[in-house]
Amino acid sequence: MARKVDIGVLQRLSELNGPAGFEGAVREYIVKMAKELGAEVEIDKLGNVIGHVKGKGPKVMLIAHMDEVGLITSDIDDGGFIYFSNLGGWDTRLLPGLEMTVMAPKRNLPGTIGMKPPHITSPEERKKVPEMTDLFVDTGLDKAALTRAGVRVGTPMAPSTSFRRLSQKRVMGKAFDDRAGCYLLLRLLEDGDLPCDTTFVWSVQEEVGARGGGPAATRVDPDYVIVVEATIAADFPGVPRQKIISRMQAGTVVTVMDRMQVADAGMLDALLEVAKEEKLKVQLKKPGIGATDAGPIHLRGTGYRALPLAVPTRYIHSPAGILDLRDLDNTERLIAAMLVRLATKGA
Ligand SMILES: [Zn+2]
């Protein structure tokens, strides 16, 4: 049967712009989709989307964040050059030469992060990584035109990356961290027949310190939380074995411990059992790296049981990531099987 939540939805989610705190367009699209798929949808005061499907069994919250890493206008000079700060974690080396979309209130403006060409830089300059504060976006518009378009301090920007299908199974695009997770939540909602009382949360502001997830958990008050993320696949040249956090097609990445949480031991064991029973691939993420919404969530209220899972994705926090559709599929099946397990034996 043809699915409504297909690769076109993944493309749309990837191409919509929603840096941390500016998730409006992504939210609007997810609300529309989640309603069409039969969820009862609410938006909380922070802007998290909360979709509920009433069911029997334990209360399970699935959460993926809508925001992506982006930039935010810090100053516009007289020539119309837009200076910026980061919204989320960027490696400044990736920025020069990047095509950006300036999210002006009425329309998106294309621009590029300008840089002196090699003809007029000294060998010393070329060796140095520029400071982010020295970089600027050039939209071709002067200050008056930018002001008329509503661009001001605080206007966000996102990379202008088009989604591409690289092969039958591999796709390239921006914001897979965590639109891949957003997509999987929509897929699971579409699958229907949920064995638990399930709440789907599409959260805001994860990339600036996992701010949206905690309040959403307080509202939902779940028995179990599964965080659905995209994490660093580092299976490419130049990375020593001990630094390969995860690999593509080696299974869904399961967090044991990151910077903000030790994963719930019971849920982790249950998930590993489920994976074995269902012959689904899992890999354990190298401990101590990264953080997810599970960090603040597990410490809210009187505490919540939470387990982060992720789709291995190359080049996250960059303008273009690559992921494998088989990894998405494996993760979808694994979460579906985990819901059955939580409804029957618990964790
Ligand atoms: Zn993420």
Side-chain angles (χ1 to χ4, degrees):
M1 195 186 74
R3 299 194 57 156
K4 193 181 174 88
V5 186
D6 60 8
I7 194 165
V9 171
L10 182 63
Q11 167 160 7
R12 190 76 193 278
L13 285 168
S14 166
E15 289 182 349
L16 283 169
N17 296 320
F22 301 90
E23 300 89 352
V26 184
R27 175 166 46 242
E28 203 177 299
Y29 180 63
I30 286 176
V31 165
K32 180 178 145 282
M33 290 294 297
K35 280 184 178 166
E36 283 176 20
L37 296 168
E40 208 175 286
V41 181
E42 286 177 280
I43 300 169
D44 73 6
K45 288 176 185 169
L46 287 182
N48 295 304
V49 179
I50 301 177
H52 183 230
V53 181
K54 216 177 255 147
K56 292 198 197 89
K59 275 170 90 172
V60 179
M61 172 171 141
L62 302 174
I63 176 169
H65 67 88
M66 294 187 283
D67 60 310
E68 66 189 290
V69 291
L71 303 173
I72 186 164
T73 304
S74 58
D75 187 34
I76 305 168
D77 77 5
D78 292 338
F81 298 103
I82 304 172
Y83 291 85
F84 52 79
S85 307
N86 56 312
L87 263 177
W90 275 106
D91 182 335
T92 310
R93 290 174 302 167
L94 285 169
L95 292 174
L98 205 59
E99 276 186 53
M100 296 297 291
T101 301
V102 181
M103 297 161 63
K106 291 204 183 91
R107 67 187 173 101
N108 286 331
L109 308 172
T112 181
I113 299 179
M115 189 75 178
K116 282 192 283 184
H119 317 72
I120 53 170
T121 45
S122 65
E124 286 70 44
E125 273 181 299
R126 262 173 271 157
K127 270 187 229 148
K128 273 192 290 187
V129 178
E131 296 283 335
M132 189 174 292
T133 45
D134 294 335
L135 298 173
F136 50 81
V137 172
D138 187 346
T139 61
L141 302 180
D142 60 19
K143 189 170 185 176
L146 287 173
T147 305
R148 278 198 300 279
V151 181
R152 56 157 170 78
V153 170
T155 300
M157 300 176 249
S160 325
T161 310
S162 301
F163 179 91
R164 304 281 176 87
R165 192 148 191 176
L166 302 178
S167 69
Q168 206 37 36
K169 293 295 179 190
R170 292 206 170 172
V171 295
M172 181 170 81
K174 74 168 177 67
F176 288 150
D177 174 10
D178 184 24
R179 306 284 163 70
C182 294
Y183 170 77
L184 283 174
L185 262 54
L186 288 173
R187 294 273 291 190
L188 287 155
L189 180 56
E190 185 185 29
D191 287 339
D193 212 11
L194 297 159
C196 302
D197 187 60
T198 315
T199 305
F200 297 82
V201 174
W202 290 273
S203 64
V204 294
Q205 298 192 40
E206 195 276 343
E207 294 294 359
V208 287
R211 294 173 183 169
T218 308
R219 184 187 182 105
V220 176
D221 196 23
D223 299 310
Y224 302 102
V225 179
I226 300 174
V227 176
V228 188
E229 266 283 9
T231 197
I232 312 152
D235 53 339
F236 45 76
V239 185
R241 193 192 142 82
Q242 71 276 18
K243 288 204 170 160
I244 298 179
I245 291 152
S246 77
R247 298 168 190 273
M248 289 177 86
Q249 279 188 266
T252 299
V253 193
V254 186
T255 292
V256 175
M257 183 198 84
D258 62 25
R259 287 188 295 105
M260 292 171 89
Q261 188 215 14
V262 178
D264 181 273
M267 288 181 75
L268 176 62
D269 285 346
L271 185 101
L272 296 178
E273 274 174 36
V274 165
K276 205 168 173 189
E277 281 161 20
E278 301 293 323
K279 298 188 170 54
L280 294 166
K281 287 199 280 186
V282 285
Q283 52 184 323
L284 296 173
K285 184 174 173 177
K286 295 255 185 294
I289 295 160
T292 73
D293 269 328
I297 285 173
H298 82 293
L299 299 176
R300 294 297 283 213
T302 50
Y304 288 109
R305 302 185 63 183
L307 179 67
L309 305 179
V311 179
T313 308
R314 285 188 193 151
Y315 325 119
I316 64 168
H317 290 222
S318 92
I322 292 181
L323 62 74
D324 193 295
L325 300 178
R326 285 164 288 200
D327 287 324
L328 284 174
D329 187 56
N330 185 80
T331 306
E332 181 184 345
R333 287 163 195 260
L334 184 63
I335 297 167
M338 182 65 174
L339 291 178
V340 173
R341 161 68 188 247
L342 294 176
T344 51
K345 287 205 269 179

